[in-house]
Amino acid sequence: MVFRKLPGVSASGMGLRLSQKFVFLLFLSGLVTLCFGALFFLPDSVRLKRIFLSKNESPAVTVGSDNELSKKLPVDQEHQRAASKGADANVKPKVSRKPSVTHGARTVERSVGSRAQDEWSPARAHEPAARDERVTSAAVNGQHGSAFNYETYKKCLTKPALGKDRGNPSDSETVQRREKVKEMMKFAWDNYKQYAWGKNELRPLTRNGHIGNMFGGLRGASIVDSLDTLYIMGLMEEYEEAKEWVQNNLDLNSNGEASLFEVNIRYVGGLLSAYYLTGAEIFKQKVLELGEKLLPAFNTPTGIPRGVINLGSGTSWSWGWASAGSSILAEFGTLHLEFVHLSELSGNPVYTEKVMNIRKLLNKIEKPHGLYPNFLSPVSGNWVQHHVSIGGLGDSFYEYLIKSFLMSDKTDEEAKKMYYSAMEAIETNLVQKSPGGLTYVAEWRGGILDHKMGHLACFSGGMIGIGADDGPAGQKQHYLDLAAEITHTCHESYSRSATKLGPEAFRFDGGAEATATRLSDRYYILRPEVIESYMYMWRLTHDPKYREWGWEAVEALEKHCRVDAGFSGIRDVYSSTVSHDNMQQSFFLSETLKYLYLLFSDDDLLPLEDWVFNTEAHPLPVIHKTCLQEHSTRQDGGQTPLE
Ligand code: DMJ
């Protein structure tokens, strides 16, 4: 049959005109494009990944492709609104009925007496990390590069780790003060041992143990955090007990949900230090086993890890309270030191690669006024909101930049450049002088200053001090002065309280000068940051006032925080009738008491030429690369693992 072509009418059996057919086709193709495009606008979903990725394919992409991704994945509007509300560092977990979350990690603030740890639960916002991507023990440990040689590492230190005489000071007053600090450590330890052995922390009023849920199913946080402090102080019997517990009881086969940051700074940091100081193989074995369990957290589209990881399954999530499923600057930015050492020990570059990928993204991304906001999407690689702080949520990221440079024997030029640019932006935008002449570092909320400084931000005196030597030409004195001024301000926050201990946050507005104006900021949970800055400033200047300030803190701790069965935080530093929070934080043993002990020791105990302290005060050795290379070339013609 022949169809006769009528003018303007198609030859199709549907009897459509050519123009109608064209419009229809256009509509159809539009629909198809829309459906396909919509897939890219859907939230990050494991189901989609299953469709588009084969079972063994990793969803992770390299930094190079982030920009592409970020164009395709705009941040969810609803989350964005939540993010702008949550920009406050007092951001609360949605799941908790009590204020604030987790331990005093600089990343997250928490109020005294809160049971937030017990109530915490991560938002299961994201996909499980690809299980089959996990690297096997054999692959991770020891089958890459050359084996780590403990003797060679020791030879490459410029001085003995514990000094000539374990840092024993020459004057009798300082000897007595140091002895007092050692006694405090023994008292804290003995009570932990008696009432909370194997648990994470001691509750000194109720005389029992606290487990919490920051460390997944891991136990013994106070033990792992104390190993190096006990060793450095020469509490050898206690150190041996701790080591034996690690050997026989530290079970890493846990299936719980842990904070990647907390496990890294306390457990990985604690075990690494213990190994480097003592050479006991058990610590190396445990830390490599644990390091491997943290790797799946990096299986995200950008390689920026999420905050929470299930140590058993490798599944990871973002914190429920973090805006738009974001990761926190101070968390993913505080892995570098430990991960570089995991590569050193295992000979496997994977750990260094993971943290270098984070570095690369942060280096590349545009920064508002040169500042680093605290929330970043691990999916798009974009900032989620513009809250900047050198205290909670931001702090140890800056610390790890300068310490990465120092730990690399001053060869890591990229870290150095990033640190000094960040410092310049911080000075331009955040550093302020109060009407009373106190220098402080304010917080920044999208261009608006919040005239508040957290206790956590007081570590910055020490950080700026240790970075003074290597900044732009002619800036050394400037940085030393700034470090001294900030440390002075933080001391003022202590000396203006009734207990001579500092509040969680203090303000410089409404007539306040280094004092807390809100009831909720008045607590002190045995934090170390102010004392940490005294210790560094003492080492850098030998100005006796830093030892005096440290001693004031010892007296205040003894008077207000020591109870019959340990040390406890207090709820209000402005009231001399104290109310205790019933918690002996593990960082009191790893940081507060260690920094006090170092403050009253000679500088040759853990000399700063050879050691950097991680953010939990666990000393890690500087990698004297040239020396290590020389030795390894001489011994086996191989290369050092970092090559
Ligand atoms: C410690 O766990 C670490 O110093 C961390 O970086 C933040 N703060 C607590 C102690 O305050």
Side-chain angles (χ1 to χ4, degrees), residues 455 490 493-494 497 499-504 522-525 573:
H455 190 289
C490 291
S493 78
Y494 274 48
S497 78
T499 55
K500 305 296 168 216
L501 293 165
E504 179 66 2
R522 290 168 158 233
Y523 62 94
Y524 171 69
I525 56 168
V573 296

Side-chain angles (χ1 to χ4, degrees), residues 18-19 26 118 126 144 213-214 354 368 464 536 560 582 615:
L18 195 61
S19 57
L26 208 67
D118 304 320
H126 291 283
H144 297 261
N213 42 20
M214 276 193 320
K354 296 289 180 199
I464 295 168
Y536 283 115
H560 301 295
N582 194 22
T615 195

